[in-house]
Amino acid sequence: MRTAKFSHALFVSIVWISLVPMLLVVLFFGYQFYQNSLAQAQQTLNWRANNDALALRQQLFKTVIDNERLANSKAIAELPIRILYSQFALTQLQEYVTQSPNIHAAMVIDKAGFIVEGFPLKALNMDIATTVPLLQQSVQQAGSSYFVVEFEGLQSSEAQPIAYLAIATPLNLERESLSTPYQTTGILLTLQPISSLISSLAQIEQVEQFAYNNTYRVMLADNELAQAGTLGSQAQLTARSEIVAILHNEASSPLTLTLSEPHEPHLSALRRSLAFAAILILSLGILALLLARWLVRRFNQPLKGITLLSKRYAQGQYESQVQPFSYREFEKISANLQSMAKTIEAQIASLKEQKHRAQASERAKSLFLANMSHELRTPLNGIFGYLQLLQSTPLASQQAQYTRQIQLSTQMLLTVINDILDFSKIEANKVVLERQPCDLIQLVKDINELFAPGCAQKGIRCTLALPEQPQVYALCDEMRLRQVLSNLVSNAVKFTSRGGIEIGLQVSEKGLSYECEFTVKDTGVGIAKELRGQLFQPFIQAQASTTREFGGTGLGLSICKRLLELMGGSISLASEPDEGSTFVVRLTLERSAPLSQINAEPMSSLQQVRFDGFRVLVAEDNPINQRVITKFLEKQGVAVHLVENGEQAIDAEAKQAFDLILMDIQMPVMDGLSASRAICAHNPEHAPIIAVSANAMSQDIEAALAAGMQDHLAKPIEYQALLAILHKWLVKKATQPS
């Protein structure tokens, strides 16, 4: 039987869902009806605002005519220049104010801005700072002008200052001269409360209260001067119309009437329409709900099958069988899901195999690094230990110089081995830098002394360019800086066959720091411009033939660059083929006092401390290392008990009491970690166990501490480091020589 197509079922569903546009149409026309109702109401409100503003303009025009009639009377016009008319003018002003219900005050102001006469008497209190601008602007207008002033209430019921509409009319006195028929003697100023404009509208419309609880506001620009009625927070319609132009701040501003009324009175018809629309929407909603329920029942079953199949695949059950579906499209989806599941299963199997290989490779690499670290450090421990013992014996000056250079070379070799072996630390930029006082000038001299014999053997010069100061002490990692400079000088010597090399140092003070610039110049083969950018990348050398002719791995400059970046410095190169190269190292280092002023307990005093009577158990399988450690400890008066493996260490610790245990990690029969765990298990109050091992990587130190050891001493053993361990764990019992 042929299954139905999902697209056909979807088409039928869309036909049913076409009822949704009907709902949208109803909502659209309802919204349009609402907008039309509001637009009609707004148009009506605009018409009312214009009519009311026109009525107010006519009223003010009548007031202006009355003011001009009064201003043209002889007693008023001559009052500013003839005080004899004062009583008669006061009578006229009083009659005018009394007969004009909207006029609260009238006054005559002379050309100097002083009020000559006015009614009521409170009007005489107007400040000259207010009258002078009114006078000047009204005279310029050469006719009646409107102003807005704030003045204290002129009537007993007006306790606070209110806004008045001031009408200023020039006083023009007739003269017999033909050239100047009128003389302006001052102005007639009348004050009408702006709130009276709104009150007069009620009389004009012949209603006691404004219809629909309208809000009437008289505004100058955006400032409200008077208001009647309250709408609260209801939605409202607003219309604005200009009454007159007001002179304000030497400019003309409109005095406007703003009407506001709520939407409510205009929306009764809209409510009926919305009620009908709500019933229609509810009916459509019920129909849509029934349709949606039918669609869910129709399509839910195949969707549940797809969901269940996907869930099984998500749980890793890739062998699930495809269930039959009602629609062809769902069958295709389930088949594709099963095909994808098979592909994922194959990829997971491949990834697991690759993971196992990678883990095996990582374990092999870690084991190789551990073995290489042990094999390299073991002979270095013998060299370094016997060298320190040799330095502690009486030596001639030249012999002491040679042993010092051997010691510096051994330390540099040890630093390089540490960096190469600890790949995780280098690749993750986790190299820990020390901050110890270092004499930079002595550092450069030591490097020059180290490479001077090689330069002499090749017949090239090796010169220094140093500052005039005898010493320059700064805080830095001396071994890392020595490694960088030695690498640069070694390359210069290697690639120079004629001329010479120059090692330079320039130091400038900057606050509490030194701006240091180390330079290494040579007259060697040089480097082509196109090869300079690759020179600081790992495993890269200037030419393919370089390795065959001069040797090297191509790691030196890359390590130098990364170390300098960790120090906050930089390295740059200037070179020309067959002319030589110049490497410049720039560092900012904090200034420091000389080392002798910082270390309260120098090495010489540490060597004088005796540990007579203390017993130390040494577990070490290498005969050379046994002799070196024994010599170091016996010089300090320590009684040494030697064992060759972990089992012997456990037996010795159980039979005798020791003050300290120095435990090698890699030993035959039983390693140091297992021995440490056994000692901790049977004797919780055991002596401190110190790991002494060539495995000096970070994970090796963590493993030693986790096995119950208290500290770690790396091979090759430095005499000073061993003394520091003795001081740390035995200093409370040590006796100073008298």
Side-chain angles (χ1 to χ4, degrees):
M1 181 179 178
R2 185 176 181 181
T3 57
K5 295 183 62 175
F6 179 76
S7 57
H8 177 70
L10 183 61
F11 174 78
V12 174
S13 301
I14 292 175
V15 171
W16 283 99
I17 298 174
S18 61
L19 292 174
V20 174
M22 295 179 60
L23 174 62
L24 297 178
V25 169
V26 171
L27 293 176
F28 173 76
F29 282 106
Y31 177 75
Q32 289 295 323
F33 184 78
Y34 172 74
Q35 292 294 328
N36 292 337
S37 299
L38 292 183
Q40 185 176 2
Q42 182 68 51
Q43 185 177 4
T44 302
L45 190 64
N46 291 339
W47 178 83
R48 288 184 55 205
N50 292 333
N51 284 349
D52 289 345
L54 177 61
L56 291 178
R57 281 198 298 272
Q58 291 175 350
Q59 184 186 61
L60 292 177
F61 180 71
K62 181 178 179 301
T63 303
V64 169
I65 293 175
D66 293 341
N67 284 4
E68 291 179 350
R69 185 182 298 113
L70 179 61
N72 290 333
S73 67
K74 185 173 182 180
I76 297 298
E78 290 188 7
L79 181 60
I81 59 176
R82 293 186 182 180
I83 198 65
L84 295 176
Y85 293 106
S86 176
Q87 187 61 38
F88 185 69
L90 179 59
T91 301
Q92 286 186 309
L93 294 176
Q94 183 177 1
E95 291 178 355
Y96 182 66
V97 173
T98 303
Q99 296 173 2
S100 303
N102 293 332
I103 302 297
H104 283 199
M107 61 196 78
V108 176
I109 301 174
D110 62 13
K111 297 182 67 174
F114 292 101
I115 301 175
V116 180
E117 194 59 79
F119 180 83
L121 293 178
K122 285 186 178 181
L124 302 179
N125 295 333
M126 183 174 289
D127 191 359
I128 192 172
T130 303
T131 59
V132 169
L134 299 180
L135 174 68
Q136 293 175 349
Q137 295 183 54
S138 62
V139 170
Q140 293 177 359
Q141 295 294 323
S144 296
S145 304
Y146 299 96
F147 303 90
V148 172
V149 296
E150 287 191 358
F151 191 59
E152 63 182 0
L154 297 173
Q155 298 182 2
S156 59
S157 61
E158 300 169 349
Q160 299 294 331
I162 62 175
Y164 285 94
L165 178 63
I167 303 176
T169 304
L171 299 177
N172 295 323
L173 181 62
E174 292 186 3
R175 300 180 60 184
E176 297 180 355
S177 172
L178 294 177
S179 60
T180 55
Y182 296 97
Q183 177 185 359
T184 302
T185 60
I187 61 171
L188 172 65
L189 186 67
T190 61
L191 300 180
Q192 176 181 352
I194 293 181
S195 58
S196 66
L197 297 177
I198 300 178
S199 301
S200 63
L201 288 177
Q203 299 175 1
I204 294 172
E205 297 184 357
Q206 297 181 354
V207 293
E208 294 182 359
Q209 296 182 351
F210 299 117
Y212 303 131
N213 293 324
N214 293 349
T215 296
Y216 285 71
R217 291 178 291 175
V218 178
M219 305 182 68
L220 179 61
D222 293 330
N223 298 323
E224 182 180 300
L225 304 179
Q227 176 183 343
T230 303
L231 281 178
S233 59
Q234 299 180 11
Q236 53 184 306
L237 301 174
T238 301
R240 177 178 294 188
S241 182
E242 181 177 346
I243 303 174
V244 292
I246 300 295
L247 291 177
H248 181 67
N249 295 332
E250 299 183 359
S252 179
S253 299
L255 184 69
T256 59
L257 174 67
T258 300
L259 272 67
S260 301
E261 66 179 21
H263 295 173
E264 185 67 22
H266 305 282
L267 302 180
S268 57
L270 178 62
R271 287 197 193 94
R272 293 191 296 270
S273 300
L274 291 179
F276 175 76
I279 295 174
L280 183 58
I281 291 174
L282 181 60
S283 302
L284 293 175
I286 295 174
L287 182 61
L289 181 61
L290 295 175
L291 176 63
R293 185 176 180 182
W294 178 81
L295 289 175
V296 168
R297 288 182 176 179
R298 188 174 181 85
F299 299 132
N300 193 40
Q301 189 62 33
L303 288 176
K304 282 184 177 180
I306 292 293
T307 303
L308 180 60
L309 187 62
S310 301
K311 185 177 180 180
R312 290 174 180 173
Y313 290 161
Q315 294 174 349
Q317 302 176 12
Y318 299 112
E319 301 298 331
S320 301
Q321 297 297 323
V322 178
Q323 300 296 327
F325 292 99
S326 303
Y327 300 104
R328 186 181 306 166
E329 287 80 358
F330 285 112
E331 288 183 349
K332 290 183 178 180
I333 292 174
S334 61
N336 292 335
L337 283 175
Q338 190 177 38
S339 175
M340 180 179 65
K342 292 180 179 179
T343 304
I344 293 175
E345 187 177 16
Q347 292 177 347
I348 290 176
S350 176
L351 290 175
K352 286 181 178 179
E353 183 180 357
Q354 294 178 14
K355 179 182 178 181
H356 293 326
R357 291 178 181 176
Q359 291 175 342
S361 175
E362 184 67 24
R363 288 192 297 269
K365 184 183 74 172
S366 300
L367 181 61
F368 171 76
L369 291 178
N371 292 333
M372 286 297 297
S373 175
H374 186 273
E375 295 302 325
L376 288 173
R377 290 174 183 272
T378 297
L380 273 178
N381 185 54
I383 297 172
F384 202 54
Y386 277 110
L387 178 62
Q388 293 177 86
L389 292 173
L390 179 63
Q391 289 178 326
S392 65
T393 62
L395 297 175
S397 175
Q398 189 175 15
Q399 291 174 332
Q401 181 181 0
Y402 288 165
T403 57
R404 185 168 183 271
Q405 294 305 319
I406 295 173
Q407 182 183 18
L408 292 176
S409 299
T410 306
Q411 289 175 344
M412 289 176 56
L413 177 59
L414 180 60
T415 302
V416 172
I417 291 175
N418 289 337
D419 287 342
I420 294 177
L421 293 179
D422 198 354
F423 280 124
S424 60
K425 179 174 63 177
I426 295 177
E427 293 174 357
N429 291 327
K430 293 183 179 179
V431 176
V432 179
L433 298 178
E434 297 182 356
R435 282 169 52 86
Q436 296 293 336
C438 171
D439 185 357
L440 302 181
I441 293 180
Q442 185 61 44
L443 173 63
V444 175
K445 290 180 178 179
D446 289 344
I447 294 174
N448 176 73
E449 185 178 350
L450 178 64
F451 289 95
C455 293
Q457 185 177 1
K458 294 187 67 173
I460 58 176
R461 301 184 307 276
C462 185
T463 59
L464 292 174
L466 300 175
E468 297 180 356
Q469 305 97 292
Q471 294 177 328
V472 176
Y473 276 92
L475 293 178
C476 66
D477 191 325
E478 180 179 355
M479 290 303 300
R480 301 295 184 183
L481 184 56
R482 185 186 300 274
Q483 177 183 348
V484 170
L485 297 178
S486 297
N487 189 286
L488 297 178
V489 176
S490 175
N491 286 344
V493 175
K494 182 190 301 183
F495 294 103
T496 302
S497 57
R498 56 180 177 80
I501 63 173
E502 179 184 280
I503 310 172
L505 170 63
Q506 294 182 3
V507 179
S508 60
E509 297 183 6
K510 185 178 181 181
L512 299 177
S513 303
Y514 285 127
E515 297 287 344
C516 305
E517 184 177 286
F518 299 87
T519 57
V520 178
K521 300 180 181 179
D522 65 64
T523 57
V525 296
I527 302 169
K529 183 177 181 180
E530 60 272 11
L531 299 176
R532 296 174 198 165
Q534 306 175 3
L535 202 60
F536 294 100
Q537 298 179 11
F539 306 107
I540 297 296
Q541 292 190 334
Q543 295 179 4
S545 59
T546 301
T547 302
R548 295 192 300 269
E549 183 177 354
F550 298 101
T553 63
L555 280 172
L557 291 179
S558 174
I559 294 176
C560 290
K561 182 176 183 295
R562 297 184 66 175
L563 288 176
L564 289 172
E565 290 174 349
L566 290 175
M567 298 179 190
S570 63
I571 183 171
S572 60
L573 166 65
S575 180
E576 292 294 336
D578 300 325
E579 294 184 8
S581 304
T582 301
F583 287 87
V584 180
V585 173
R586 294 180 176 87
L587 283 171
T588 300
L589 302 176
E590 184 179 348
R591 297 167 62 181
S592 171
L595 185 61
S596 59
Q597 299 181 17
I598 295 178
N599 293 336
E601 192 173 13
M603 180 62 185
S604 59
S605 64
L606 290 178
Q607 295 177 356
Q608 294 175 4
V609 179
R610 301 288 297 174
F611 296 94
D612 297 319
F614 286 96
R615 294 177 56 81
V616 175
L617 174 62
V618 177
E620 170 64 56
D621 63 314
N622 186 276
I624 297 178
N625 292 340
Q626 289 178 353
R627 288 193 290 272
V628 170
I629 296 175
T630 301
K631 291 292 185 181
F632 281 167
L633 295 175
E634 289 178 348
K635 285 185 62 176
Q636 301 303 123
V638 176
V640 180
H641 183 84
L642 283 172
V643 295
E644 296 182 354
N645 56 61
E647 284 189 356
Q648 295 179 5
I650 296 173
D651 294 338
E653 197 276 336
K655 295 176 181 179
Q656 303 181 42
F658 295 99
D659 299 294
L660 192 68
I661 301 174
L662 301 180
M663 182 79 71
D664 189 17
I665 299 297
Q666 291 188 353
M667 293 183 294
V669 183
M670 178 182 288
D671 60 81
L673 298 179
S674 301
S676 177
R677 295 189 189 98
I679 292 174
C680 294
H682 81 265
N683 184 13
E685 298 181 357
H686 60 83
I689 304 176
I690 311 301
V692 183
S693 173
N695 298 334
M697 299 173 69
S698 57
Q699 59 266 31
D700 299 321
I701 298 175
E702 294 173 359
L705 298 178
M709 299 183 179
Q710 280 67 50
D711 212 334
H712 186 277
L713 182 62
K715 295 180 182 179
I717 299 174
E718 294 187 17
Y719 190 23
Q720 184 177 1
L722 179 60
L723 289 178
I725 289 291
L726 296 178
H727 271 262
K728 180 177 180 180
W729 298 102
L730 303 178
V731 69
K732 294 182 179 180
K733 302 178 182 179
T735 57
Q736 297 284 351
S738 57

